[in-house]
Structure formats: structure tokens, C-alpha cells
């Protein structure tokens, strides 16, 4: 079994299915990536702020050496972090990512958030003594220019955005020499983001859904929040196809043309999540899943970043 591909505006092909690595601890992530590559995953989603890229780099090297996968068949995405938004710092960030992942180039590099943090630090989460984040006001258009420079220098193949709202994406579209190829945002059956998908479709931007399983263990969750794994609609559709609720949620996204990057550190679930290319949901299933949308964002950073001028989740989409 293998993942289908999405053709990006940059001309490159992106596997529609990948492995997420957020909250995969050092000590867990290397094993997860190694298993995923052996199972046939060709796309790994990484980020500086996951603080585990240095463990993933050696796994890539070993996989290339052992012939598990060729570099040209692997699609690696990473993200410039909030403390690295000024031009030179963003370029430094890309070189640090390449060093940690032990790669010569990234297939995709995103600006992780529109919000910038204090740049005079190597901390990931620079905070005041009272717990508030220390912000910077560097504008993300400067970060974008650095990413364009990285494309020109051959360090990155495609560039994109994450957690930007439609107005912020329009700003980038208005100044960009290279248009964003991908937008990575939270998306799952409970948060289907129809307006954002239409907007991106109009501008030729592919969408990657993060938390495609509505992350059942997300730290931002509250008691009583819905869970795909125990939702009666997903259980029923899953039973009908001899699949699991997670496989139904992922298959729904694939059939909607969305790229998915479910995270798992368990061999069983890494295999389970990938086993969705041997069946199809019918239109009735798809419509039923479309009906569970409740415009519910799990990862809401208002407490952390809501006071930053570029915090983006206040917009309708
Ligand atoms: N750009 C951004 O700001 C941003 C934000 C959030 C996430 N992301 C990216 O998107 C990836 C995916 O999102 P996510 O990690 O938030 O959530 P997710 O993939 O929706 O859910 C991950 C959680 O579900 C569990 N899980 C995985 N497969 C399962 C299955 N088949 N059955 C039951 N449980 C299962 C995992 O546990 P086990 O590991 O124990 O299996 C983990 O706790 C991240 O890892 C990261 O790469 C990006």
C-alpha cells in the first residue's frame, strides 16, 4: 500500500499521508519514524519546537544507508520557529533544522506561527517571570523573504504557512515572489474549515490537516470534549467497513483531498493509520461525517498568544 500524492504549486509532489511527530518524546520518536518508513510512510512532519529533530536525523541516515527509502522518495516537512522570524534568524533556523535532521534540503518548510517570540534567546518558550510569553514584533513577511531565499539557495523545495488566517495569507500572497504551496492548520471532522479550504483551493494552496484524529490526548482538551474514537457515528461507519474510527476519520480527509499527518508512537497504530488505501467511504458516509462539523478548534492558543498583534485565531477563518 502507498499514499496518493498531491501536486503542489511549486511543481513538487507531496505524499497525502505522513507521520506527525509532535509530543513524540526523544526516546520514542526515533523508533516511531523507523517503523513508519519500514511500513511505507514517505512523509514525516517535523518542527523545531517538538525538540526531537536531532533524534530523527540519524533514523533518516540509517534508512537511506539500509535501502529502506531513497532520499528522493522521502518528503520531509519542518517549520521555522517563533524565535527565528527575522531574516537572518529564519535562515539560521533552516540551517539548524537541516543539521538536526541530517539533510541537505527540506521538501517543505513552513512558518510555524504568525506570532514571533523574543529572538535573543535559544529557549523555545521565552517567558517573563510571571509566565507571559516574551514576544517580538518581527513581521512574518520578513520570515517569508528568508524562506524564499532558502528556495533560491536550494535548501528548501517548497514553502508554506501554518496557523495563518486568510487575511494573513492574503498579505503573503500580496508580497510573495514564491506563493505558499501549503497551509498546515488544525482540521478534523469536528473542525472542517470549509471556508479556509475554499479559500486555499482558489489560490492553489494545498492543505495539511494537523490533529486529523482530533488528537484524543491533546493537552488543550477539556473534560467532555468529543472524541472520534468513541463517537457513535464513527463507530458505526467503522463497523460497516471493518475499519477503526481513526481509519474512518483519516479516510474521510483523504477523500476530501486533504493531506493528513496522524501522529503515533505505537507500531500497531502506525500500521493501522496507514491501512486506509484499500477501501472507500461512500457518499452517505462522507455526508454523515460532514454533518459532525461543530467548528471546534482544540488547539486554541488565545491564553498563550492572544495578546500578540499577529495572533490569528480571532478571525472567522
Ligand atoms: N503546525 C502546528 O502548529 C501543529 C499543531 C499540532 C500538530 N501538528 C502536527 O500534526 C501532527 C498530528 O497532530 P496531533 O499529534 O496533534 O494529533 P493526532 O494525530 O490527531 O492524534 C495523535 C494522538 O492520537 C493517538 N493515536 C494515533 N493513532 C491512533 C489510533 N489509530 N487510535 C487511537 N489513538 C491514536 C496518538 O497516541 P499514540 O502515539 O500513543 O498512538 C496521539 O496521542 C503532529 O504530530 C504534528 O506533527 C502541527
Amino acid at each position: 500500500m502507498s499514499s496518493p500524492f498531491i501536486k503542489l504549486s511549486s511543481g513538487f509532489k507531496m505524499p497525502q499521508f505522513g507521520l506527525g511527530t509532535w509530543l513524540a518524546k526523544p526516546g520514542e520518536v526515533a523508533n516511531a519514524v523507523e517503523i513508519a518508513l519500514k511500513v511505507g510512510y514517505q512523509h514525516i512532519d517535523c518542527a523545531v519546537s517538538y525538540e526531537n529533530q536531532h533524534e530523527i536525523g540519524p533514523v533518516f541516515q540509517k534508512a537511506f544507508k539500509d535501502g529502506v527509502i531513497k532520499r528522493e522518495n522521502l518528503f520531509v516537512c519542518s517549520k521555522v520557529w517563533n524565535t527565528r522570524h527575522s531574516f537572518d534568524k529564519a535562515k539560521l533556523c533552516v540551517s539548524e533544522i537541516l543539521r538536526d535532521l541530517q539533510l541537505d534540503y527540506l521538501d517543505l518548510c513552513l512558518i510555524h506561527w504568525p506570532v514571533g517570540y523574543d529572538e535573543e534567546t535559544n529557549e523555545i518558550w521565552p517567558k517573563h517571570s510571571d509566565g507571559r510569553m516574551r514576544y517580538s514584533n518581527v513581521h512574518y513577511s520578513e520570515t517569508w523573504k528568508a524562506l524564499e531565499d532558502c528556495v533560491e539557495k536550494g535548501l528548501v523545495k517548497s514553502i508554506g504557512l501554518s496557523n495563518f488566517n486568510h487575511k494573513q495569507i492574503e498579505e503573503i500572497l500580496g508580497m510573495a515572489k514564491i506563493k505558499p504551496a501549503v497551509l498546515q492548520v488544525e482540521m478534523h471532522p469536528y473542525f472542517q474549515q470549509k471556508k479556509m479550504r475554499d479559500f486555499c483551493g482558489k489560490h492553489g494552496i494545498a492543505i495539511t490537516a494537523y490533529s486529523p484524529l482530533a488528537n484524543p490526548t491533546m493537552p488543550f482538551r477539556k473534560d467532555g470534549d468529543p472524541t472520534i474514537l468513541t463517537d457513535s457515528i464513527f463507530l458505526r461507519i467503522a463497523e460497516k467497513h471493518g475499519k477503526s474510527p481513526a481509519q474512518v476519520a483519516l479516510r474521510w480527509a483523504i477523500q476530501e483531498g486533504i493531506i493528513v499527518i496522524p501522529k503515533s508512537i505505537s507500531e500497531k497504530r502506525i500500521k493501522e493509520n496507514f491501512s486506509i488505501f484499500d477501501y472507500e467511504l461512500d457518499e452517505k458516509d462522507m455526508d454523515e461525517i460532514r454533518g459532525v462539523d461543530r467548528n471546534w478548534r482544540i488547539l486554541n492558543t488565545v491564553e498563550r498568544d492572544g495578546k500578540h498583534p499577529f495572533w490569528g485565531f480571532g478571525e472567522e477563518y
Side-chain angles (χ1 to χ4, degrees), residues 81 83-84 117-118 120-127 134:
W81 183 238
T83 53
R84 299 279 194 262
Y117 293 162
D118 185 358
E120 301 309 316
T121 178
N122 283 325
E123 296 164 84
I124 298 287
W125 304 105
K127 288 186 179 160
R134 299 201 309 267

Side-chain angles (χ1 to χ4, degrees), residues 195-262:
K195 284 192 175 159
M196 184 58 102
R197 279 156 60 194
D198 290 346
F199 172 85
C200 285
K202 238 177 19 209
H203 292 285
I205 302 172
I207 293 199
T208 301
Y210 75 62
S211 307
L213 300 171
N215 189 342
T217 59
M218 166 86 79
F220 288 73
R221 272 180 167 273
K222 297 182 193 66
D223 286 347
D225 282 344
T227 307
I228 281 164
L229 308 178
T230 54
D231 184 318
S232 59
I233 292 178
F234 286 88
L235 285 166
R236 184 165 36 74
I237 298 174
E239 196 181 359
K240 173 172 146 189
H241 293 282
K243 292 286 176 182
S244 70
Q247 289 172 318
V248 171
L250 295 171
R251 183 71 212 180
W252 166 81
I254 293 286
Q255 287 183 214
E256 291 283 45
I258 300 163
I259 299 155
V260 286
I261 46 170

